[in-house]
Amino acid sequence: MTTIRVTTEVNGDRVEFLADPRETLLDVLRDKLGLTGSKEGCGTGDCGACSVLLDGRLVSSCLVLGVEAEGRKVETIEGMAPGEELHPLQRKFLEHAALQCGFCTPGFLVASKALLERNPDPTEEEVRYWLAGNLCRCTGYDKIVRAVLDAAAEMRGAG
Amino acid sequence: MRYHTPQTFEEAARIAATGSGTTRFLAGGTDVLVQMRTGLVTPDDLIDLKHIPGAYDITQAPDGGWQIGVAVSGAALGEHPELGRAWPGVVEAMELVGSTQVQGRATLTGNLCNGSPAADSVPALVAAGAVVRVTGPDGTREVPVEEIPEGPGKTALVPGEVVSALLLPPRGAAGGDAYQRFIPRTEMDIAVVGCAVNLTLDGDVIRAARVALGAVAPTVLLVPDAAAALVGSHWDDGARARIEAAARAAARPITDKRGTAEFRTHVAGVLAGRVADIAYRRAKGEQT
Ligand SMILES: Cc1cc2nc3c(=O)[nH]c(=O)nc-3n(C[C@H](O)[C@H](O)[C@H](O)COP(=O)(O)OP(=O)(O)OC[C@H]3O[C@@H](n4cnc5c(N)ncnc54)[C@H](O)[C@@H]3O)c2cc1C
Ligand code: FES
Ligand code: FES
């Protein structure tokens, strides 16, 4: 099996790795780059726990090959907090207790951030549809949705 | 597995034609990667089409027709304002595919070439009269979308052929299209039945129509009898009863965990009526 050298950008840093072409971007992030915030819930695109941005688009990194990252920009949960401060979404998830086991949380945060960048003032229905590909077995979703709406309101106020 | 990044469709076709084992093209990967991960298909040659210039482009020809690149995602399709106005049914069908994450990658061409009878965008493409440009060892040919699916997971593409573009005709005046599917929930499920209608009007009268059904046969079906039920009518109760009956007559579904054959047949009629209504109102210029 030949490996392929891949050069990409992860959270603003230039990164190089060698990948077996069958390896997913999720495997590369977790096992090669030590970025274990993205989780594997299903490995088949159903749960959203592995959500990242690829060239600004929300995708499931379990359905992207590592070699596909060549020359592109990847943003993960590790790049979300600016420095020592939490991102407003992260803070609101804590305030609203929008997590229990936390396995789904990085995916929800990355997906919610992508939503608010496109739509700073979403309705509850828009939040629920946007996040339909993120599954949570613990919270029952209501607290997550409220946290996202509250973060959106705060971010609009700040902006 | 060998991973290829050809720069032209001719090169992609050449790699596919000379491959010795299982070959797959990689567009958004939302079917290919799932099949790889579940061990269903392990390609020997995986040919990534996303490095080919133009793969991400949506362009309008001088005659008003559209060319959609093979890597254009559902999300990108949905963000294109003019295309959404011209072919709202095609766009809404593709936007039903999967979640936001799946939308970030999934393509119309991949949805078609995966060969699922329940593929959401395919009835809408068939109703719209879409055509694919196919590049193969013997050059390029254009094929109507309804001729591509041959059965679950099977297409009319021969080894070495790759779809190099998807073409939508000019919308023209007084036209409308629409797609709906039935699923037991509101998101993230596979169509139990899907239906697309595309029609054009002459005043209030339906002058031409195309109707397609998904998930009620081994392939997506173009249903000329359902279209004939509309043509010449003002979209009155009689036309509605006729299209419902024609859709039910054309449906030949199986019974599975998603629904019985009887249920699917019934729903095919209900959807045909509803979708024709939306297409008619869109053709009249209503916002729906
Ligand atoms: C969580 C989830 C939910 C989903 N929900 C839906 C849904 O609601 N409705 C639905 O219809 N589908 C659904 N799908 C299936 C899938 O997302 C769609 O079929 C999608 O449109 C496939 O496009 P792709 O670009 O990802 O294809 P890929 O996976 O890249 O390719 C699919 C197939 O097409 C072939 N192919 C791709 N491009 C070409 C080309 N240019 N020429 C020739 N062959 C080509 C490939 O060889 C492969 O066999 C879902 C998938 C997931 C993971
Ligand atoms: S692990 Fe990627 S969607 Fe579940
Ligand atoms: S907090 Fe446990 S899965 Fe969401």
Side-chain angles (χ1 to χ4, degrees), chain A residues 44-46 63, chain B residues 24-25 27-32 34 49 70 94 96-98 102 106-107 109-111 113-114 119-120 157 162-163 181 189:
Chain A
T44 49
D46 296 296
L63 293 189
Chain B
R24 285 290 181 280
F25 295 105
T30 59
D31 283 314
V32 171
V34 172
L49 303 173
V70 298
M94 188 61 206
L96 285 174
V97 169
V102 170
T107 66
T109 311
N111 198 218
C113 296
N114 187 54
D120 281 304
L157 300 174
V162 57
V163 171
R181 66 177 180 184
D189 207 346

PDB file of all heavy atoms in Angstrom, chain A residues 44-46 63, chain B residues 24-25 27-32 34 49 70 94 96-98 102 106-107 109-111 113-114 119-120 157 162-163 181 189, ligand 1:
ATOM      1  N   THR A  44     -20.467   6.598   9.247  1.00  0.00           N
ATOM      2  CA  THR A  44     -21.210   6.470   7.988  1.00  0.00           C
ATOM      3  C   THR A  44     -22.069   7.701   7.682  1.00  0.00           C
ATOM      4  O   THR A  44     -23.043   7.608   6.948  1.00  0.00           O
ATOM      5  CB  THR A  44     -22.104   5.215   8.014  1.00  0.00           C
ATOM      6  OG1 THR A  44     -22.850   5.218   9.244  1.00  0.00           O
ATOM      7  CG2 THR A  44     -21.284   3.948   7.936  1.00  0.00           C
ATOM      8  N   GLY A  45     -21.703   8.845   8.259  1.00  0.00           N
ATOM      9  CA  GLY A  45     -22.378  10.081   7.863  1.00  0.00           C
ATOM     10  C   GLY A  45     -23.690  10.364   8.571  1.00  0.00           C
ATOM     11  O   GLY A  45     -24.359  11.343   8.236  1.00  0.00           O
ATOM     12  N   ASP A  46     -24.050   9.564   9.543  1.00  0.00           N
ATOM     13  CA  ASP A  46     -25.383   9.703  10.137  1.00  0.00           C
ATOM     14  C   ASP A  46     -25.445  10.569  11.386  1.00  0.00           C
ATOM     15  O   ASP A  46     -26.508  11.049  11.745  1.00  0.00           O
ATOM     16  CB  ASP A  46     -25.936   8.318  10.493  1.00  0.00           C
ATOM     17  CG  ASP A  46     -26.149   7.469   9.259  1.00  0.00           C
ATOM     18  OD1 ASP A  46     -26.995   7.868   8.426  1.00  0.00           O
ATOM     19  OD2 ASP A  46     -25.461   6.432   9.094  1.00  0.00           O
ATOM     20  N   LEU A  63     -16.662  11.041   6.189  1.00  0.00           N
ATOM     21  CA  LEU A  63     -16.998  10.804   4.786  1.00  0.00           C
ATOM     22  C   LEU A  63     -16.104  11.626   3.862  1.00  0.00           C
ATOM     23  O   LEU A  63     -16.496  11.988   2.754  1.00  0.00           O
ATOM     24  CB  LEU A  63     -18.476  11.114   4.522  1.00  0.00           C
ATOM     25  CG  LEU A  63     -19.496  10.192   5.185  1.00  0.00           C
ATOM     26  CD1 LEU A  63     -20.901  10.480   4.661  1.00  0.00           C
ATOM     27  CD2 LEU A  63     -19.153   8.716   4.955  1.00  0.00           C
TER      28      LEU A  63
ATOM     29  N   ARG B  24     -14.264   3.119  -8.895  1.00  0.00           N
ATOM     30  CA  ARG B  24     -15.305   4.074  -8.513  1.00  0.00           C
ATOM     31  C   ARG B  24     -14.794   5.466  -8.780  1.00  0.00           C
ATOM     32  O   ARG B  24     -13.606   5.749  -8.619  1.00  0.00           O
ATOM     33  CB  ARG B  24     -15.660   3.961  -7.021  1.00  0.00           C
ATOM     34  CG  ARG B  24     -16.505   2.754  -6.651  1.00  0.00           C
ATOM     35  CD  ARG B  24     -17.932   2.873  -7.181  1.00  0.00           C
ATOM     36  NE  ARG B  24     -18.759   1.741  -6.819  1.00  0.00           N
ATOM     37  CZ  ARG B  24     -18.758   0.558  -7.450  1.00  0.00           C
ATOM     38  NH1 ARG B  24     -17.956   0.350  -8.484  1.00  0.00           N
ATOM     39  NH2 ARG B  24     -19.556  -0.403  -7.045  1.00  0.00           N
ATOM     40  N   PHE B  25     -15.737   6.332  -9.189  1.00  0.00           N
ATOM     41  CA  PHE B  25     -15.422   7.754  -9.261  1.00  0.00           C
ATOM     42  C   PHE B  25     -15.760   8.374  -7.920  1.00  0.00           C
ATOM     43  O   PHE B  25     -16.693   7.932  -7.242  1.00  0.00           O
ATOM     44  CB  PHE B  25     -16.218   8.425 -10.384  1.00  0.00           C
ATOM     45  CG  PHE B  25     -15.835   7.906 -11.747  1.00  0.00           C
ATOM     46  CD1 PHE B  25     -16.663   7.032 -12.430  1.00  0.00           C
ATOM     47  CD2 PHE B  25     -14.637   8.276 -12.321  1.00  0.00           C
ATOM     48  CE1 PHE B  25     -16.316   6.531 -13.674  1.00  0.00           C
ATOM     49  CE2 PHE B  25     -14.271   7.787 -13.570  1.00  0.00           C
ATOM     50  CZ  PHE B  25     -15.116   6.911 -14.251  1.00  0.00           C
ATOM     51  N   ALA B  27     -16.973  11.757  -6.266  1.00  0.00           N
ATOM     52  CA  ALA B  27     -17.475  13.140  -6.332  1.00  0.00           C
ATOM     53  C   ALA B  27     -17.543  13.615  -4.888  1.00  0.00           C
ATOM     54  O   ALA B  27     -16.525  13.943  -4.292  1.00  0.00           O
ATOM     55  CB  ALA B  27     -18.813  13.174  -7.052  1.00  0.00           C
ATOM     56  N   GLY B  28     -18.732  13.599  -4.270  1.00  0.00           N
ATOM     57  CA  GLY B  28     -18.846  13.996  -2.867  1.00  0.00           C
ATOM     58  C   GLY B  28     -18.519  12.879  -1.897  1.00  0.00           C
ATOM     59  O   GLY B  28     -18.334  13.112  -0.709  1.00  0.00           O
ATOM     60  N   GLY B  29     -18.505  11.657  -2.396  1.00  0.00           N
ATOM     61  CA  GLY B  29     -18.121  10.512  -1.568  1.00  0.00           C
ATOM     62  C   GLY B  29     -19.165  10.064  -0.555  1.00  0.00           C
ATOM     63  O   GLY B  29     -18.892   9.166   0.243  1.00  0.00           O
ATOM     64  N   THR B  30     -20.351  10.660  -0.572  1.00  0.00           N
ATOM     65  CA  THR B  30     -21.324  10.327   0.481  1.00  0.00           C
ATOM     66  C   THR B  30     -21.980   8.968   0.253  1.00  0.00           C
ATOM     67  O   THR B  30     -22.602   8.432   1.160  1.00  0.00           O
ATOM     68  CB  THR B  30     -22.402  11.423   0.641  1.00  0.00           C
ATOM     69  OG1 THR B  30     -23.089  11.577  -0.599  1.00  0.00           O
ATOM     70  CG2 THR B  30     -21.786  12.740   1.062  1.00  0.00           C
ATOM     71  N   ASP B  31     -21.870   8.427  -0.933  1.00  0.00           N
ATOM     72  CA  ASP B  31     -22.211   7.014  -1.152  1.00  0.00           C
ATOM     73  C   ASP B  31     -20.949   6.159  -1.168  1.00  0.00           C
ATOM     74  O   ASP B  31     -20.881   5.129  -0.515  1.00  0.00           O
ATOM     75  CB  ASP B  31     -22.969   6.830  -2.482  1.00  0.00           C
ATOM     76  CG  ASP B  31     -24.424   7.252  -2.384  1.00  0.00           C
ATOM     77  OD1 ASP B  31     -25.089   6.875  -1.402  1.00  0.00           O
ATOM     78  OD2 ASP B  31     -24.891   7.957  -3.285  1.00  0.00           O
ATOM     79  N   VAL B  32     -19.929   6.582  -1.923  1.00  0.00           N
ATOM     80  CA  VAL B  32     -18.712   5.773  -2.074  1.00  0.00           C
ATOM     81  C   VAL B  32     -18.059   5.487  -0.720  1.00  0.00           C
ATOM     82  O   VAL B  32     -17.692   4.352  -0.422  1.00  0.00           O
ATOM     83  CB  VAL B  32     -17.690   6.477  -2.996  1.00  0.00           C
ATOM     84  CG1 VAL B  32     -16.358   5.749  -2.976  1.00  0.00           C
ATOM     85  CG2 VAL B  32     -18.216   6.536  -4.426  1.00  0.00           C
ATOM     86  N   VAL B  34     -19.353   5.577   2.294  1.00  0.00           N
ATOM     87  CA  VAL B  34     -20.191   4.705   3.131  1.00  0.00           C
ATOM     88  C   VAL B  34     -20.021   3.253   2.666  1.00  0.00           C
ATOM     89  O   VAL B  34     -19.868   2.336   3.478  1.00  0.00           O
ATOM     90  CB  VAL B  34     -21.673   5.150   3.084  1.00  0.00           C
ATOM     91  CG1 VAL B  34     -22.557   4.134   3.795  1.00  0.00           C
ATOM     92  CG2 VAL B  34     -21.842   6.529   3.714  1.00  0.00           C
ATOM     93  N   LEU B  49     -12.746  13.182  -9.069  1.00  0.00           N
ATOM     94  CA  LEU B  49     -13.028  14.071 -10.198  1.00  0.00           C
ATOM     95  C   LEU B  49     -12.902  15.545  -9.820  1.00  0.00           C
ATOM     96  O   LEU B  49     -13.060  16.416 -10.684  1.00  0.00           O
ATOM     97  CB  LEU B  49     -14.449  13.802 -10.710  1.00  0.00           C
ATOM     98  CG  LEU B  49     -14.711  12.344 -11.120  1.00  0.00           C
ATOM     99  CD1 LEU B  49     -16.194  12.148 -11.446  1.00  0.00           C
ATOM    100  CD2 LEU B  49     -13.846  11.971 -12.326  1.00  0.00           C
ATOM    101  N   VAL B  70     -19.666  18.344 -12.057  1.00  0.00           N
ATOM    102  CA  VAL B  70     -19.871  17.065 -11.358  1.00  0.00           C
ATOM    103  C   VAL B  70     -19.488  17.110  -9.885  1.00  0.00           C
ATOM    104  O   VAL B  70     -19.748  16.158  -9.166  1.00  0.00           O
ATOM    105  CB  VAL B  70     -19.104  15.913 -12.044  1.00  0.00           C
ATOM    106  CG1 VAL B  70     -19.601  15.703 -13.460  1.00  0.00           C
ATOM    107  CG2 VAL B  70     -17.598  16.169 -12.020  1.00  0.00           C
ATOM    108  N   MET B  94     -32.681  18.082  -4.571  1.00  0.00           N
ATOM    109  CA  MET B  94     -31.303  17.829  -4.127  1.00  0.00           C
ATOM    110  C   MET B  94     -31.124  18.264  -2.675  1.00  0.00           C
ATOM    111  O   MET B  94     -30.398  17.612  -1.917  1.00  0.00           O
ATOM    112  CB  MET B  94     -30.321  18.572  -5.047  1.00  0.00           C
ATOM    113  CG  MET B  94     -28.868  18.226  -4.786  1.00  0.00           C
ATOM    114  SD  MET B  94     -28.531  16.464  -5.068  1.00  0.00           S
ATOM    115  CE  MET B  94     -27.117  16.212  -3.989  1.00  0.00           C
ATOM    116  N   LEU B  96     -33.092  17.954  -0.334  1.00  0.00           N
ATOM    117  CA  LEU B  96     -33.648  16.967   0.605  1.00  0.00           C
ATOM    118  C   LEU B  96     -32.633  15.876   0.941  1.00  0.00           C
ATOM    119  O   LEU B  96     -32.806  15.132   1.900  1.00  0.00           O
ATOM    120  CB  LEU B  96     -34.896  16.311   0.008  1.00  0.00           C
ATOM    121  CG  LEU B  96     -36.158  17.171  -0.008  1.00  0.00           C
ATOM    122  CD1 LEU B  96     -37.268  16.450  -0.767  1.00  0.00           C
ATOM    123  CD2 LEU B  96     -36.613  17.469   1.411  1.00  0.00           C
ATOM    124  N   VAL B  97     -31.581  15.767   0.135  1.00  0.00           N
ATOM    125  CA  VAL B  97     -30.605  14.695   0.351  1.00  0.00           C
ATOM    126  C   VAL B  97     -29.835  14.933   1.652  1.00  0.00           C
ATOM    127  O   VAL B  97     -29.142  15.930   1.809  1.00  0.00           O
ATOM    128  CB  VAL B  97     -29.628  14.611  -0.846  1.00  0.00           C
ATOM    129  CG1 VAL B  97     -28.462  13.690  -0.527  1.00  0.00           C
ATOM    130  CG2 VAL B  97     -30.364  14.157  -2.103  1.00  0.00           C
ATOM    131  N   GLY B  98     -30.019  14.008   2.583  1.00  0.00           N
ATOM    132  CA  GLY B  98     -29.188  13.979   3.792  1.00  0.00           C
ATOM    133  C   GLY B  98     -29.276  15.213   4.674  1.00  0.00           C
ATOM    134  O   GLY B  98     -30.241  15.971   4.633  1.00  0.00           O
ATOM    135  N   VAL B 102     -24.048  16.302   4.839  1.00  0.00           N
ATOM    136  CA  VAL B 102     -24.096  15.569   3.567  1.00  0.00           C
ATOM    137  C   VAL B 102     -24.230  16.561   2.414  1.00  0.00           C
ATOM    138  O   VAL B 102     -23.580  16.438   1.375  1.00  0.00           O
ATOM    139  CB  VAL B 102     -25.249  14.539   3.574  1.00  0.00           C
ATOM    140  CG1 VAL B 102     -25.476  13.938   2.187  1.00  0.00           C
ATOM    141  CG2 VAL B 102     -24.958  13.428   4.594  1.00  0.00           C
ATOM    142  N   ALA B 106     -22.481  16.150  -1.177  1.00  0.00           N
ATOM    143  CA  ALA B 106     -23.225  15.313  -2.127  1.00  0.00           C
ATOM    144  C   ALA B 106     -23.532  16.050  -3.423  1.00  0.00           C
ATOM    145  O   ALA B 106     -23.859  17.231  -3.410  1.00  0.00           O
ATOM    146  CB  ALA B 106     -24.531  14.853  -1.490  1.00  0.00           C
ATOM    147  N   THR B 107     -23.436  15.340  -4.544  1.00  0.00           N
ATOM    148  CA  THR B 107     -23.663  15.947  -5.855  1.00  0.00           C
ATOM    149  C   THR B 107     -24.860  15.309  -6.563  1.00  0.00           C
ATOM    150  O   THR B 107     -25.248  14.179  -6.260  1.00  0.00           O
ATOM    151  CB  THR B 107     -22.440  15.759  -6.771  1.00  0.00           C
ATOM    152  OG1 THR B 107     -22.296  14.358  -7.055  1.00  0.00           O
ATOM    153  CG2 THR B 107     -21.156  16.276  -6.122  1.00  0.00           C
ATOM    154  N   THR B 109     -24.802  14.428  -9.744  1.00  0.00           N
ATOM    155  CA  THR B 109     -24.300  13.337 -10.586  1.00  0.00           C
ATOM    156  C   THR B 109     -24.066  12.079  -9.763  1.00  0.00           C
ATOM    157  O   THR B 109     -24.367  10.968 -10.212  1.00  0.00           O
ATOM    158  CB  THR B 109     -23.000  13.766 -11.286  1.00  0.00           C
ATOM    159  OG1 THR B 109     -23.212  15.039 -11.884  1.00  0.00           O
ATOM    160  CG2 THR B 109     -22.606  12.785 -12.360  1.00  0.00           C
ATOM    161  N   GLY B 110     -23.535  12.245  -8.545  1.00  0.00           N
ATOM    162  CA  GLY B 110     -23.335  11.088  -7.680  1.00  0.00           C
ATOM    163  C   GLY B 110     -24.655  10.442  -7.294  1.00  0.00           C
ATOM    164  O   GLY B 110     -24.783   9.218  -7.249  1.00  0.00           O
ATOM    165  N   ASN B 111     -25.654  11.262  -7.031  1.00  0.00           N
ATOM    166  CA  ASN B 111     -26.988  10.760  -6.693  1.00  0.00           C
ATOM    167  C   ASN B 111     -27.536   9.918  -7.846  1.00  0.00           C
ATOM    168  O   ASN B 111     -28.093   8.839  -7.633  1.00  0.00           O
ATOM    169  CB  ASN B 111     -27.900  11.968  -6.413  1.00  0.00           C
ATOM    170  CG  ASN B 111     -29.158  11.635  -5.639  1.00  0.00           C
ATOM    171  OD1 ASN B 111     -30.215  12.187  -5.908  1.00  0.00           O
ATOM    172  ND2 ASN B 111     -29.101  10.747  -4.657  1.00  0.00           N
ATOM    173  N   CYS B 113     -25.634   8.503 -10.428  1.00  0.00           N
ATOM    174  CA  CYS B 113     -24.784   7.368 -10.807  1.00  0.00           C
ATOM    175  C   CYS B 113     -24.716   6.293  -9.728  1.00  0.00           C
ATOM    176  O   CYS B 113     -24.323   5.165 -10.006  1.00  0.00           O
ATOM    177  CB  CYS B 113     -23.378   7.859 -11.164  1.00  0.00           C
ATOM    178  SG  CYS B 113     -23.389   8.915 -12.618  1.00  0.00           S
ATOM    179  N   ASN B 114     -25.102   6.622  -8.509  1.00  0.00           N
ATOM    180  CA  ASN B 114     -25.165   5.592  -7.475  1.00  0.00           C
ATOM    181  C   ASN B 114     -26.267   4.581  -7.774  1.00  0.00           C
ATOM    182  O   ASN B 114     -26.228   3.453  -7.299  1.00  0.00           O
ATOM    183  CB  ASN B 114     -25.390   6.248  -6.115  1.00  0.00           C
ATOM    184  CG  ASN B 114     -25.294   5.280  -4.980  1.00  0.00           C
ATOM    185  OD1 ASN B 114     -24.296   4.578  -4.839  1.00  0.00           O
ATOM    186  ND2 ASN B 114     -26.338   5.193  -4.170  1.00  0.00           N
ATOM    187  N   ALA B 119     -33.308   7.657  -5.080  1.00  0.00           N
ATOM    188  CA  ALA B 119     -32.490   8.879  -5.122  1.00  0.00           C
ATOM    189  C   ALA B 119     -33.392  10.091  -5.331  1.00  0.00           C
ATOM    190  O   ALA B 119     -34.172  10.132  -6.280  1.00  0.00           O
ATOM    191  CB  ALA B 119     -31.465   8.781  -6.239  1.00  0.00           C
ATOM    192  N   ASP B 120     -33.283  11.070  -4.446  1.00  0.00           N
ATOM    193  CA  ASP B 120     -34.256  12.163  -4.465  1.00  0.00           C
ATOM    194  C   ASP B 120     -34.154  13.086  -5.668  1.00  0.00           C
ATOM    195  O   ASP B 120     -35.163  13.564  -6.166  1.00  0.00           O
ATOM    196  CB  ASP B 120     -34.120  12.987  -3.178  1.00  0.00           C
ATOM    197  CG  ASP B 120     -34.803  12.311  -2.012  1.00  0.00           C
ATOM    198  OD1 ASP B 120     -36.009  12.021  -2.137  1.00  0.00           O
ATOM    199  OD2 ASP B 120     -34.140  12.050  -1.001  1.00  0.00           O
ATOM    200  N   LEU B 157     -24.053   3.354 -17.913  1.00  0.00           N
ATOM    201  CA  LEU B 157     -22.670   3.740 -18.223  1.00  0.00           C
ATOM    202  C   LEU B 157     -21.836   2.470 -18.365  1.00  0.00           C
ATOM    203  O   LEU B 157     -21.935   1.562 -17.541  1.00  0.00           O
ATOM    204  CB  LEU B 157     -22.089   4.614 -17.107  1.00  0.00           C
ATOM    205  CG  LEU B 157     -22.811   5.928 -16.815  1.00  0.00           C
ATOM    206  CD1 LEU B 157     -22.207   6.602 -15.589  1.00  0.00           C
ATOM    207  CD2 LEU B 157     -22.768   6.853 -18.025  1.00  0.00           C
ATOM    208  N   VAL B 162     -17.499   8.213 -17.914  1.00  0.00           N
ATOM    209  CA  VAL B 162     -17.666   9.103 -16.766  1.00  0.00           C
ATOM    210  C   VAL B 162     -18.606  10.238 -17.186  1.00  0.00           C
ATOM    211  O   VAL B 162     -18.541  10.707 -18.330  1.00  0.00           O
ATOM    212  CB  VAL B 162     -16.290   9.644 -16.283  1.00  0.00           C
ATOM    213  CG1 VAL B 162     -15.548  10.372 -17.402  1.00  0.00           C
ATOM    214  CG2 VAL B 162     -16.434  10.548 -15.075  1.00  0.00           C
ATOM    215  N   VAL B 163     -19.480  10.636 -16.282  1.00  0.00           N
ATOM    216  CA  VAL B 163     -20.326  11.798 -16.558  1.00  0.00           C
ATOM    217  C   VAL B 163     -19.459  13.040 -16.400  1.00  0.00           C
ATOM    218  O   VAL B 163     -18.843  13.247 -15.352  1.00  0.00           O
ATOM    219  CB  VAL B 163     -21.536  11.848 -15.601  1.00  0.00           C
ATOM    220  CG1 VAL B 163     -22.289  13.167 -15.756  1.00  0.00           C
ATOM    221  CG2 VAL B 163     -22.460  10.666 -15.853  1.00  0.00           C
ATOM    222  N   ARG B 181     -41.222  14.188  -1.498  1.00  0.00           N
ATOM    223  CA  ARG B 181     -41.114  12.772  -1.177  1.00  0.00           C
ATOM    224  C   ARG B 181     -41.947  12.509   0.073  1.00  0.00           C
ATOM    225  O   ARG B 181     -42.222  13.437   0.839  1.00  0.00           O
ATOM    226  CB  ARG B 181     -39.665  12.383  -0.915  1.00  0.00           C
ATOM    227  CG  ARG B 181     -39.084  13.037   0.324  1.00  0.00           C
ATOM    228  CD  ARG B 181     -37.662  12.582   0.597  1.00  0.00           C
ATOM    229  NE  ARG B 181     -37.149  13.237   1.795  1.00  0.00           N
ATOM    230  CZ  ARG B 181     -35.914  13.110   2.244  1.00  0.00           C
ATOM    231  NH1 ARG B 181     -35.045  12.365   1.578  1.00  0.00           N
ATOM    232  NH2 ARG B 181     -35.520  13.723   3.334  1.00  0.00           N
ATOM    233  N   ASP B 189     -34.004  10.745   5.995  1.00  0.00           N
ATOM    234  CA  ASP B 189     -34.575   9.431   5.735  1.00  0.00           C
ATOM    235  C   ASP B 189     -34.618   9.229   4.226  1.00  0.00           C
ATOM    236  O   ASP B 189     -34.413  10.158   3.463  1.00  0.00           O
ATOM    237  CB  ASP B 189     -35.982   9.331   6.342  1.00  0.00           C
ATOM    238  CG  ASP B 189     -36.341   7.893   6.681  1.00  0.00           C
ATOM    239  OD1 ASP B 189     -35.632   6.968   6.221  1.00  0.00           O
ATOM    240  OD2 ASP B 189     -37.326   7.702   7.398  1.00  0.00           O
TER     241      ASP B 189
HETATM  242  C1  LIG C   1     -26.346  10.361   6.085  1.00  0.00           C
HETATM  243  C2  LIG C   1     -26.731  10.232   4.632  1.00  0.00           C
HETATM  244  C3  LIG C   1     -28.011  10.598   4.230  1.00  0.00           C
HETATM  245  C4  LIG C   1     -28.382  10.480   2.899  1.00  0.00           C
HETATM  246  N1  LIG C   1     -29.640  10.863   2.540  1.00  0.00           N
HETATM  247  C5  LIG C   1     -30.043  10.769   1.256  1.00  0.00           C
HETATM  248  C6  LIG C   1     -31.349  11.201   0.862  1.00  0.00           C
HETATM  249  O1  LIG C   1     -32.129  11.681   1.670  1.00  0.00           O
HETATM  250  N2  LIG C   1     -31.704  11.065  -0.440  1.00  0.00           N
HETATM  251  C7  LIG C   1     -30.854  10.563  -1.372  1.00  0.00           C
HETATM  252  O2  LIG C   1     -31.228  10.489  -2.529  1.00  0.00           O
HETATM  253  N3  LIG C   1     -29.601  10.152  -1.034  1.00  0.00           N
HETATM  254  C8  LIG C   1     -29.174  10.239   0.259  1.00  0.00           C
HETATM  255  N4  LIG C   1     -27.908   9.847   0.603  1.00  0.00           N
HETATM  256  C9  LIG C   1     -27.024   9.256  -0.414  1.00  0.00           C
HETATM  257  C10 LIG C   1     -26.011  10.225  -1.064  1.00  0.00           C
HETATM  258  O3  LIG C   1     -25.736  11.313  -0.219  1.00  0.00           O
HETATM  259  C11 LIG C   1     -26.502  10.747  -2.406  1.00  0.00           C
HETATM  260  O4  LIG C   1     -26.784   9.687  -3.268  1.00  0.00           O
HETATM  261  C12 LIG C   1     -25.490  11.726  -3.046  1.00  0.00           C
HETATM  262  O5  LIG C   1     -26.132  12.546  -3.981  1.00  0.00           O
HETATM  263  C13 LIG C   1     -24.322  11.029  -3.721  1.00  0.00           C
HETATM  264  O6  LIG C   1     -23.474  12.003  -4.311  1.00  0.00           O
HETATM  265  P1  LIG C   1     -21.901  12.000  -4.097  1.00  0.00           P
HETATM  266  O7  LIG C   1     -21.384  13.145  -4.878  1.00  0.00           O
HETATM  267  O8  LIG C   1     -21.590  11.962  -2.663  1.00  0.00           O
HETATM  268  O9  LIG C   1     -21.536  10.620  -4.783  1.00  0.00           O
HETATM  269  P2  LIG C   1     -20.260   9.691  -4.627  1.00  0.00           P
HETATM  270  O10 LIG C   1     -20.361   8.919  -3.366  1.00  0.00           O
HETATM  271  O11 LIG C   1     -19.015  10.449  -4.866  1.00  0.00           O
HETATM  272  O12 LIG C   1     -20.514   8.715  -5.866  1.00  0.00           O
HETATM  273  C14 LIG C   1     -21.684   7.915  -5.928  1.00  0.00           C
HETATM  274  C15 LIG C   1     -21.603   6.951  -7.120  1.00  0.00           C
HETATM  275  O13 LIG C   1     -21.661   7.660  -8.334  1.00  0.00           O
HETATM  276  C16 LIG C   1     -20.516   7.392  -9.124  1.00  0.00           C
HETATM  277  N5  LIG C   1     -20.138   8.648  -9.736  1.00  0.00           N
HETATM  278  C17 LIG C   1     -19.938   9.842  -9.088  1.00  0.00           C
HETATM  279  N6  LIG C   1     -19.654  10.813  -9.979  1.00  0.00           N
HETATM  280  C18 LIG C   1     -19.679  10.215 -11.197  1.00  0.00           C
HETATM  281  C19 LIG C   1     -19.453  10.705 -12.525  1.00  0.00           C
HETATM  282  N7  LIG C   1     -19.178  12.007 -12.762  1.00  0.00           N
HETATM  283  N8  LIG C   1     -19.549   9.827 -13.556  1.00  0.00           N
HETATM  284  C20 LIG C   1     -19.862   8.526 -13.321  1.00  0.00           C
HETATM  285  N9  LIG C   1     -20.081   8.005 -12.101  1.00  0.00           N
HETATM  286  C21 LIG C   1     -19.990   8.854 -11.056  1.00  0.00           C
HETATM  287  C22 LIG C   1     -19.472   6.825  -8.195  1.00  0.00           C
HETATM  288  O14 LIG C   1     -18.597   5.918  -8.872  1.00  0.00           O
HETATM  289  C23 LIG C   1     -20.327   6.120  -7.175  1.00  0.00           C
HETATM  290  O15 LIG C   1     -20.679   4.833  -7.614  1.00  0.00           O
HETATM  291  C24 LIG C   1     -27.487   9.975   1.933  1.00  0.00           C
HETATM  292  C25 LIG C   1     -26.187   9.612   2.340  1.00  0.00           C
HETATM  293  C26 LIG C   1     -25.798   9.752   3.666  1.00  0.00           C
HETATM  294  C27 LIG C   1     -24.424   9.381   4.075  1.00  0.00           C
END
